[in-house]
Amino acid sequence: MTKEPLQYLRGFRNEFHSEDPRCPGSLPTKQNSPQRCPYGLYPEQLSGTSFTSPRETNSRSWFYRIRPSVLHTPFKKLPLGNLSTNWEIFEPNPNQLKWDPFDIPCVGDKKVDFVQGLNTVCGAGDPKDRHGIAIHMYLCNASMEDKCFYNSDGDFLIVPQQGKLWITTEFGKMIVEPNEICVLQQGMKFSVELKGPTRGYILEVYDNHFVLPPLGPIGANGLANPRGFLTPVAWFEDREVCNYTVINKFQGRLFAACQHHSPFDVVAWHGNYVPYKYNLSDFMVINTVSFDHADPSIFTVLTCPSTKPGVAIADFVIFPPRWSTAENTFRPPYFHRNCMSEFMGLIYGAYEAKEDALQPGGATLHNTMTPHGPDSNCFEKASNAQLVPEKVGEETMAFMFESCLSITVSDWASKTSQKLDVSYPKCWQNLKKMFSPELMSLNKATSGYLLSPPRGI
């Protein structure tokens, strides 16, 4: 774990270049693969898209490393643990689902590192077809020792909930803590150090890479600004290791290979296919200043687009502290049935629509077309509140993974974890029938129908 503050490069999908200051001039100029690289380094390209992808979406980076990545023993299959990708073996469940905070392994019982602590909650699709998503919890208490991981199936969007992550990548080092996120894209090797019990959420996408959502009428500025995204600067270690383990997630399975050196031996690199992190407090919220509750799409930080315009394989949406000023409006999220699936988590605080239900480290899932909305307490409170400007979500950060795919829940999430709250649907059962034609009158001042007592009462 580094004690010195880390440096980063700013921007999203920029063409970056970086070299470790211990080896000045290690980055070749004018070309990618000279006959002889400075310092006797090996050139190696990491491609995030096909060679012939359009220039505006083409992603790749060039490494200049002490040894090429190919220098390892053959991969051998590892136990899968609680990871899942075969959704056909699980029973579908259209109910509203909620989980209490998932347990973190006790340090005194067994050492569990980041990879060993991966547990699949739900998902859809197939990594072999490069179509689909998976949602995981990482529950760990120990650092990865002489071990790294890379995902051949897709990108990891990591949302820490408890405990910092010291992440070493081939590009350099970064520290990611609660209220920050990071994205480790397909094929990028990384190792995670931590201190004490650590928990968080992961959204894995197979189809594509995350991009910033289009802003449309919002204009040039707003939501997550590109300058808020940080990429590590080059850092290398030339370290001989007796048995260094490289774990590869491939077609939903885990494999391990051995090598005799650290994989983090990249002295210099350049390109636009990089890992990055983002502080959620940098998000510029857009909201209504007149009436009605705006759709949650205005809170989208990153999106992984599908082939259908405007439809996401996955969106990452947050609900940060913000001002609410809507007039004549039910301000919390409205009752809703959605063609998208919605998985919600809570980093800290209390979610405004379910203050007593959703807890930090827990989750909810409202699948395709499953009705959901504020619980009875929230509805009663918001229906009778004085509509003055107020700050909502203070000391709170909730988020949502939203997908166009119909999601299947794993046995680990529904049974093994023992965290599924079967009483969750009861939070709506106290919603009362309030319909009464005798009490309806047209209120022209607000151009809508409001409940008001008839004359003579």
Side-chain angles (χ1 to χ4, degrees):
M1 299 180 187
T2 179
K3 296 181 180 180
E4 300 177 0
L6 298 180
Q7 295 183 344
Y8 298 94
L9 304 167
R10 285 189 174 272
F12 190 83
R13 287 190 57 82
N14 287 13
E15 283 287 340
F16 294 114
H17 66 270
S18 183
E19 62 181 24
D20 192 306
R22 291 172 290 175
C23 293
S26 52
L27 188 66
T29 59
K30 296 186 179 180
Q31 64 180 121
N32 297 317
S33 186
Q35 185 178 21
R36 291 181 180 274
C37 289
Y39 295 94
L41 298 172
Y42 286 91
E44 179 179 284
Q45 183 174 240
L46 178 64
S47 296
T49 57
S50 67
F51 295 143
T52 54
S53 291
R55 180 179 286 268
E56 61 270 20
T57 60
N58 204 301
S59 296
R60 85 286 173 260
S61 285
W62 278 90
F63 294 138
Y64 301 92
R65 58 192 320 147
I66 297 171
R67 304 168 189 82
S69 294
V70 72
L71 195 59
H72 62 75
T73 63
F75 283 100
K76 295 182 180 179
K77 194 173 179 180
L78 286 177
L80 196 55
N82 292 323
L83 287 174
S84 303
T85 55
N86 184 4
W87 311 112
E88 298 300 322
I89 66 175
F90 304 126
E91 289 293 324
N93 188 344
N95 290 300
Q96 300 94 347
L97 302 176
K98 181 183 82 72
W99 290 270
D100 294 330
F102 293 96
D103 291 336
I104 306 172
C106 295
V107 177
D109 293 342
K110 182 182 178 181
K111 284 188 176 182
V112 179
D113 66 28
F114 180 86
V115 177
Q116 295 165 335
L118 293 174
N119 306 273
T120 303
V121 178
C122 54
D126 190 336
K128 293 191 295 293
D129 297 334
R130 294 301 312 280
H131 175 62
I133 69 167
I135 295 172
H136 315 282
M137 295 295 300
Y138 66 87
L139 308 165
C140 46
N141 58 31
S143 299
M144 296 170 64
E145 297 180 357
D146 289 338
K147 180 191 297 185
C148 74
F149 176 86
Y150 72 97
N151 187 359
S152 294
D153 294 336
D155 293 6
F156 271 0
L157 188 157
I158 299 175
V159 185
Q161 186 273 318
Q162 177 178 324
K164 289 183 182 181
L165 303 179
W166 285 262
I167 303 178
T168 302
T169 75
E170 295 170 279
F171 296 81
K173 295 184 175 186
M174 56 184 175
I175 299 174
V176 188
E177 54 189 302
N179 211 45
E180 294 182 322
I181 63 167
C182 72
V183 174
L184 295 156
Q185 303 192 76
Q186 182 189 15
M188 297 178 178
K189 293 178 182 175
F190 66 94
S191 183
V192 178
E193 295 179 78
L194 49 92
K195 185 177 182 180
T198 303
R199 176 173 57 200
Y201 309 81
I202 298 177
L203 171 59
E204 180 182 14
V205 294
Y206 307 143
D207 297 61
N208 210 330
H209 301 299
F210 289 102
V211 296
L212 295 174
L215 293 177
I218 293 174
N221 307 293
L223 309 187
N225 290 310
R227 66 183 296 188
F229 291 84
L230 304 178
T231 290
V233 297
W235 175 89
F236 77 93
E237 61 177 7
D238 183 10
R239 186 164 65 94
E240 303 287 340
V241 184
C242 182
N243 285 297
Y244 195 102
T245 303
V246 178
I247 299 178
N248 177 14
K249 182 174 176 291
F250 178 76
Q251 295 186 6
R253 303 290 178 176
L254 294 181
F255 299 84
C258 179
Q259 61 188 45
H260 301 302
H261 63 276
S262 168
F264 306 118
D265 61 354
V266 176
V267 178
W269 61 267
H270 77 87
N272 64 352
Y273 189 57
V274 297
Y276 53 87
K277 75 168 195 169
Y278 177 76
N279 191 318
L280 300 181
S281 63
D282 291 340
F283 188 81
M284 179 181 166
V285 180
I286 302 294
N287 214 338
T288 180
V289 292
S290 55
F291 60 87
D292 275 352
H293 180 101
D295 296 329
S297 49
I298 62 172
F299 302 118
T300 303
V301 180
L302 291 168
T303 183
C304 180
S306 73
T307 55
K308 296 180 181 179
V311 179
I313 291 296
D315 284 332
F316 174 61
V317 179
I318 63 173
F319 301 96
R322 61 202 181 276
W323 281 97
S324 180
T325 59
E327 300 174 342
N328 188 31
T329 296
F330 181 79
R331 290 180 176 179
Y334 42 76
F335 292 104
H336 187 44
R337 290 182 295 163
N338 195 353
C339 63
M340 308 283 276
S341 298
E342 301 178 14
F343 177 95
M344 283 203 63
L346 185 62
I347 301 172
Y348 59 86
Y351 178 52
E352 59 195 280
K354 293 181 179 65
E355 293 183 354
D356 299 324
L358 183 58
Q359 299 176 54
T364 63
L365 174 63
H366 303 128
N367 227 318
T368 302
M369 291 302 175
T370 295
H372 56 282
D375 60 27
S376 55
N377 291 336
C378 176
F379 181 81
E380 178 71 20
K381 181 180 177 181
S383 298
N384 295 285
Q386 184 180 1
L387 296 183
V388 297
E390 62 177 331
K391 193 75 174 287
V392 298
E394 287 192 285
E395 304 298 326
T396 294
M397 184 61 75
F399 70 89
M400 180 168 66
F401 299 150
E402 186 176 58
S403 175
C404 65
L405 304 175
S406 184
I407 302 298
T408 300
V409 177
S410 72
D411 278 350
W412 177 83
S414 60
K415 300 174 184 177
T416 308
S417 70
Q418 299 183 341
K419 291 300 175 180
L420 184 63
D421 180 4
V422 295
S423 66
Y424 176 49
K426 294 180 180 179
C427 73
W428 292 285
Q429 299 312 306
N430 290 331
L431 289 166
K432 301 174 183 178
K433 175 185 174 181
M434 297 184 293
F435 176 70
S436 177
E438 294 80 12
L439 297 179
M440 296 299 294
S441 64
L442 181 64
N443 188 323
K444 296 181 180 181
T446 57
S447 300
Y449 284 92
L450 298 176
L451 288 172
S452 61
R455 293 178 182 177
I457 294 182

